[in-house]
Amino acid sequence: MERLTPAELRELFLFEKLDDDQLDWLADHGHIETREAGTPVLTEGEPATCFFVLLEGTVALCRNIGGQRVEVSRSSLRGSYFGATQAYLELDQPTYQMTVESITATSMLQFDADEIGPTIRAWFPMAMHLLEGLFWGMRNTQATVGQHERLTALGALAAGLTHELNNPAAAAVRATAALRERVAGMRHKLALLAQGAIDPADMPALVKLQEKAVERVAKAPKLSPLEASDAEDEVADWLDEHDISGGWDVAPVLVAAGLDVEWLESSLAACPVGVTGSAVYWLRYTVETEMLMNEIEDATTRVSTLVGAAKQYSQMDRAPFQVVDVHELLDSTLVMFGGKLKDVSLVKDYDRTLPAIPAYAGELNQVWTNMFDNALSAMGGSGTLTVRTFKRDNDLVVEIGDTGPGIPAEVKSRIFEPFFTTKPVGEGTGLGLEISWRIVVNKHHGDIRVESVPGDTRFQVVLPLEARSAASG
């Protein structure tokens, strides 16, 4: 095998400061490899067994993003290096982080990673301590801050969920208390019936009237405040004309149940003469009871929906990797942000024909959490949040857009870097998008793209419709 002499090695900037013994070792252990134009040198994800130094030609460094070859950079600089660049670290099963391809015919100096790694550690012990400290320190810091980021996001979502649960729970408690009073009133009416205050012969007509009112409650139209006020005036005047006391107190209840003057005229005409007043109050208790039961049902359904969304979001009792409907994941995450969406216009443009995809559902929810939180933060709590899904080639795309001020061009290329953030100190760790990148790109072999101008920022999360070999994230 062809090799370089120590003198030739010293001409390479990487080795120019080494002593003669070290250059002799490199000359003995390194050999020249050549590649034709268009042929691979090494492949991303394969075991990192070789360390290369470029001698002649041009190489391209590429990443596999969304199943596509994306060129990150290319170099023709003599002495540039690639391959097992972390051979000096004692890592378990290291792999190549990029694919390297020959653009032109190339020649490279190749070293065995298992040989050069221990040698570098022996030659530069203090430097190795510093480099290992930097490497592991950054990795541990990233893991710790990432965990903190997740806990902070989870805490914020838990607070929002608690607030959202409190509203329907409190409504159910209030409605239950009011219902208790109305049931007590109904018992009073039954007592009057038992005492003969109401002729038992009139009861069939009152019961029929009650059933018609209950049906009407379910179909009650939604009135604007002005329409409701006008209708209440009309009903109150009608009650006064029929010598029924407390019209201004009864009218709002009847109108809310959809019992307008026209309905009262036609329905009460079938009642026996002399019981109109009793019939109206009977109706009041009936519709109030029905509306309160509806309110309790709505409140408890809302609680159940929130709990279901929380379970879907957390992916409790589900396998980490499964076939999921992305729309369910998006909706469950949006529910978690209910408290922050009150002043935001939410637009959902889902392509419901998209199939379910194989994915790590819980981790995708973390991606949506980071994306929604960033969008809402950028808009300052008001604006339009757009969530869109569509198919592009063999991928499913989730697009999350906001109407915030946009991402400045000078920082756009850095937003996925660890610890980089544009948020004020204390409001962001700079790991939200970096975590999202690792989940989407490394674990799902997808991609994240961003387009941004003032008033229109769009993040696109590209996910393969079919499972691809997942890398460890």
Side-chain angles (χ1 to χ4, degrees):
M1 292 184 289
E2 186 180 357
R3 302 180 186 276
L4 293 185
T5 66
E8 290 173 323
L9 287 169
R10 194 181 294 279
E11 294 175 357
L12 301 172
F13 69 86
L14 189 61
F15 306 133
E16 61 184 356
K17 299 298 184 181
L18 298 181
D19 60 34
D20 293 340
D21 290 339
Q22 291 168 334
L23 290 173
D24 288 340
W25 187 95
L26 292 174
D28 290 339
H29 291 80
H31 66 274
I32 295 177
E33 285 280 331
T34 60
R35 295 288 190 279
E36 297 295 329
T39 58
V41 178
L42 55 89
T43 304
E44 178 184 355
E46 291 185 351
T49 59
C50 297
F51 178 81
F52 295 90
V53 180
L54 183 64
L55 300 177
E56 186 179 358
T58 302
V59 293
L61 281 68
C62 312
R63 289 292 304 271
N64 182 0
I65 300 177
Q68 299 179 350
R69 171 189 175 278
V70 178
E71 184 174 317
V72 177
S73 65
R74 64 173 58 191
S75 177
S76 57
L77 177 63
R78 179 178 169 84
S80 57
Y81 53 91
F82 47 86
T85 54
Q86 295 177 349
Y88 61 87
L89 294 172
E90 297 182 283
L91 299 175
D92 291 335
Q93 299 179 335
T95 58
Y96 292 124
Q97 300 302 301
M98 290 189 179
T99 294
V100 178
E101 297 180 354
S102 294
I103 302 300
T104 66
T106 57
S107 64
M108 298 155 288
L109 185 60
Q110 177 179 316
F111 295 94
D112 189 309
D114 290 338
E115 294 178 349
I116 196 169
T119 300
I120 292 176
R121 288 197 295 272
W123 285 352
F124 310 106
M126 182 175 177
M128 290 306 98
H129 287 308
L130 294 174
L131 284 172
E132 286 181 335
L134 177 64
F135 178 84
W136 294 113
M138 285 290 291
R139 174 171 285 191
N140 292 337
T141 298
Q142 186 171 333
T144 301
V145 177
Q147 181 68 15
H148 175 73
E149 174 106 351
R150 292 185 179 91
L151 290 174
T152 299
L154 183 60
L157 290 175
L161 179 61
T162 301
H163 176 75
E164 292 297 306
L165 285 169
N166 183 65
N167 289 335
V173 170
R174 289 193 301 270
T176 301
L179 181 61
R180 183 176 288 108
E181 294 180 3
R182 300 304 177 267
V183 171
M186 293 290 282
R187 288 199 299 267
H188 176 69
K189 292 298 182 184
L190 290 175
L192 293 178
L193 176 63
Q195 295 169 5
I198 298 177
D199 189 344
D202 297 334
M203 282 302 299
L206 291 175
V207 171
K208 186 174 181 180
L209 183 64
Q210 186 180 43
E211 292 173 350
K212 290 179 61 178
V214 169
E215 292 178 3
R216 186 76 173 182
V217 170
K219 303 174 183 177
K222 300 293 183 182
L223 303 178
S224 68
L226 182 59
E227 291 172 334
S229 178
D230 291 341
E232 289 169 8
D233 290 342
E234 293 179 8
V235 170
D237 291 341
W238 185 87
L239 294 174
D240 287 342
E241 292 171 4
H242 289 76
D243 298 324
I244 299 173
S245 61
W248 291 106
D249 184 42
V250 177
V253 177
L254 299 181
V255 169
L259 310 185
D260 54 18
V261 170
E262 181 180 354
W263 188 90
L264 291 171
E265 288 279 9
S266 61
S267 299
L268 291 175
C271 289
V273 178
V275 300
T276 301
S278 298
V280 167
Y281 280 97
W282 184 268
L283 285 177
R284 175 190 176 183
Y285 283 118
T286 297
V287 297
E288 274 192 316
T289 300
E290 188 68 19
M291 287 191 295
L292 287 170
M293 287 191 294
N294 288 342
E295 186 176 344
I296 293 172
E297 182 181 22
D298 290 343
T300 52
T301 299
R302 175 65 177 160
V303 170
S304 178
T305 300
L306 286 167
V307 171
K311 186 175 181 180
Q312 167 76 353
Y313 177 82
S314 64
Q315 292 294 301
M316 290 190 304
D317 304 327
R318 299 193 181 191
F321 190 77
Q322 57 186 294
V323 176
V324 296
D325 183 344
V326 168
H327 304 110
E328 291 181 0
L329 303 183
L330 289 167
D331 286 341
S332 68
T333 305
L334 285 169
V335 169
M336 299 297 102
F337 280 90
K340 293 185 177 182
L341 293 173
K342 295 188 182 299
D343 298 321
V344 172
S345 176
L346 176 62
V347 177
K348 293 196 290 187
D349 181 11
Y350 291 167
D351 180 357
R352 293 289 186 178
T353 64
L354 290 171
I357 64 171
Y360 294 89
E363 297 194 37
L364 282 184
N365 281 339
Q366 180 69 33
V367 174
W368 314 141
T369 298
N370 294 334
M371 296 287 183
F372 292 149
D373 187 60
N374 284 346
L376 294 171
S377 177
M379 293 189 293
S382 63
T384 301
L385 177 67
T386 303
V387 186
R388 179 174 169 238
T389 63
F390 58 93
K391 182 181 179 182
R392 178 190 293 152
D393 299 327
N394 293 320
D395 296 316
L396 182 153
V397 181
V398 176
E399 183 178 81
I400 298 172
D402 67 72
T403 55
I407 302 172
E410 60 271 18
V411 302
K412 184 178 175 182
S413 62
R414 300 189 59 197
I415 58 175
F416 295 106
E417 291 181 12
F419 307 109
F420 179 81
T421 179
T422 58
K423 295 179 181 179
V425 176
E427 292 187 17
T429 63
L431 281 181
L433 288 178
E434 193 274 337
I435 290 171
S436 299
W437 174 270
R438 285 194 284 110
I439 291 172
V440 173
V441 176
N442 293 347
K443 298 211 71 166
H444 293 86
H445 277 190
D447 190 15
I448 301 181
R449 304 164 187 171
V450 59
E451 298 176 359
S452 182
V453 295
D456 185 13
T457 296
R458 302 180 189 181
F459 279 86
Q460 290 188 348
V461 177
V462 182
L463 298 167
L465 289 171
E466 297 181 0
R468 295 174 183 149
S469 178
S472 59

